[in-house]
Amino acid sequence: MNVIQIILLLIVAGITGMGSVLDEAQTHRPLIACTLVGLVLGDLQTGIILGGTLEMMALGWMNVGLAMAPDTAIASVISTILVITANQGIGEGIAIAVPLAAAGQALTIFVRTITVFFVHKADDYAAKGNFKGIETMHILALMLQAVRVMVPTLIITLISADAVSNFLNGIPEVITGGLQIGGGIIVVVGYAMVINMMDVPYLKPFFYLGFLFAAFTNFNLVGFGGLGLCLALLFIHLKYNVVKGAAPVAATGVPAASYDDLDDDLDA
């Protein structure tokens, strides 16, 4: 790993750290973070596969009220670096990511506690009408989230690949296997949480239709994506473009109501 790659990895780590609190561009999500790390390290395929796998696990990881979700930023960046540099498999990446997410969860709680100082300081600036001071406090608090991911990433990049490989190979199979099974269970729980939040009765037929196509056809993910897009466009058209209670249009393009008017005229 050369100096340019280390600098780029630190930039990616900073972006993912800030994205974990901004939630605007979703840069902290595994699919994006792992892909960017894979691109920097020259193994885009591994980054995408690992990111997609971790994304399935992290679907239900979200902050609700005071409940802090496991940290996807640190887990995604560091696990991808370790997997690619040590030539490990996706299973080892999952085994690394799960404890990293838990450790990152504790770290982000610590950092967010520190940012309370900046919030109170921003309140003082607001009372004085100092907009520049408010902006500075916001930026400093955001930078702390970037540093939170950049420092562990820097430490990992300075460790030799052989040391990382020996460490990963030294993990007992019973632990890695258990974490992989646990990761699979987390995927199911994540899906259940997402489905529970999307409990919209009039959209359920589309959900069940997808399961039927998956069970009785040989569609791949591209086919399912195209099918989902077509169904979404059809739903939008039926909901917003078709006026409820409008008169049906005959094959000639003339509303059926006009034929009734014509019959009344002839009878007269």
Side-chain angles (χ1 to χ4, degrees):
M1 191 182 307
N2 55 46
V3 177
I4 296 178
Q5 287 179 321
I6 294 176
I7 295 174
L8 291 176
L9 286 175
L10 292 178
I11 295 175
V12 171
I15 293 174
T16 57
M18 291 185 291
S20 64
V21 292
L22 293 176
D23 287 332
E24 183 176 358
Q26 297 292 304
T27 55
H28 65 293
R29 301 302 301 179
L31 188 57
I32 297 179
C34 295
T35 301
L36 292 176
V37 173
L39 180 64
V40 172
L41 295 179
D43 193 351
L44 184 60
Q45 180 178 356
T46 300
I48 293 175
I49 295 175
L50 181 59
T53 305
L54 295 180
E55 187 68 46
M56 303 291 282
M57 295 174 53
L59 279 176
W61 292 0
M62 59 192 68
N63 300 326
V64 180
L66 295 177
M68 190 67 63
D71 184 39
T72 58
I74 288 181
S76 302
V77 173
I78 295 182
S79 63
T80 309
I81 294 174
L82 294 178
V83 166
I84 294 177
T85 56
N87 296 320
Q88 299 294 318
I90 302 301
E92 285 75 11
I94 296 175
I96 299 169
V98 172
L100 282 174
Q105 180 184 27
L107 185 58
T108 189
I109 292 175
F110 176 73
V111 172
R112 293 190 185 207
T113 303
I114 296 177
T115 56
V116 173
F117 166 78
F118 296 99
V119 174
H120 290 303
K121 196 66 177 176
D123 289 338
D124 294 338
Y125 285 127
K128 299 175 183 178
N130 188 345
F131 293 99
K132 188 66 175 179
I134 298 174
E135 181 180 352
T136 303
M137 292 300 103
H138 287 172
I139 294 175
L140 289 177
L142 188 61
M143 289 297 103
L144 278 180
Q145 293 292 339
V147 173
R148 175 181 65 86
V149 184
M150 294 174 67
V151 171
T153 302
L154 179 62
I155 295 174
I156 293 298
T157 56
L158 297 179
I159 300 175
S160 65
D162 293 334
V164 173
S165 180
N166 293 334
F167 170 75
L168 296 178
N169 291 330
I171 300 177
E173 186 177 354
V174 63
I175 296 179
T176 57
L179 288 173
Q180 291 183 38
I181 295 173
I185 296 174
I186 294 175
V187 172
V188 178
V189 175
Y191 268 125
M193 293 177 65
V194 173
I195 294 171
N196 186 45
M197 290 186 298
M198 296 172 59
D199 188 16
V200 182
Y202 60 84
L203 292 180
K204 283 185 177 180
F206 298 100
F207 182 75
Y208 298 139
L209 185 64
F211 271 103
L212 291 175
F213 271 95
F216 297 103
T217 65
N218 294 322
F219 277 29
N220 55 21
L221 292 179
V222 177
F224 276 116
L227 177 64
L229 178 61
C230 293
L231 290 176
L233 293 175
L234 178 62
F235 175 79
I236 293 174
H237 172 72
L238 293 176
K239 184 175 182 179
Y240 296 104
N241 295 337
V242 176
V243 181
K244 294 182 180 180
V249 179
T252 57
V254 180
S258 62
Y259 292 105
D260 297 334
D261 298 337
L262 181 60
D263 291 339
D264 294 339
D265 295 338
L266 291 176
D267 291 339

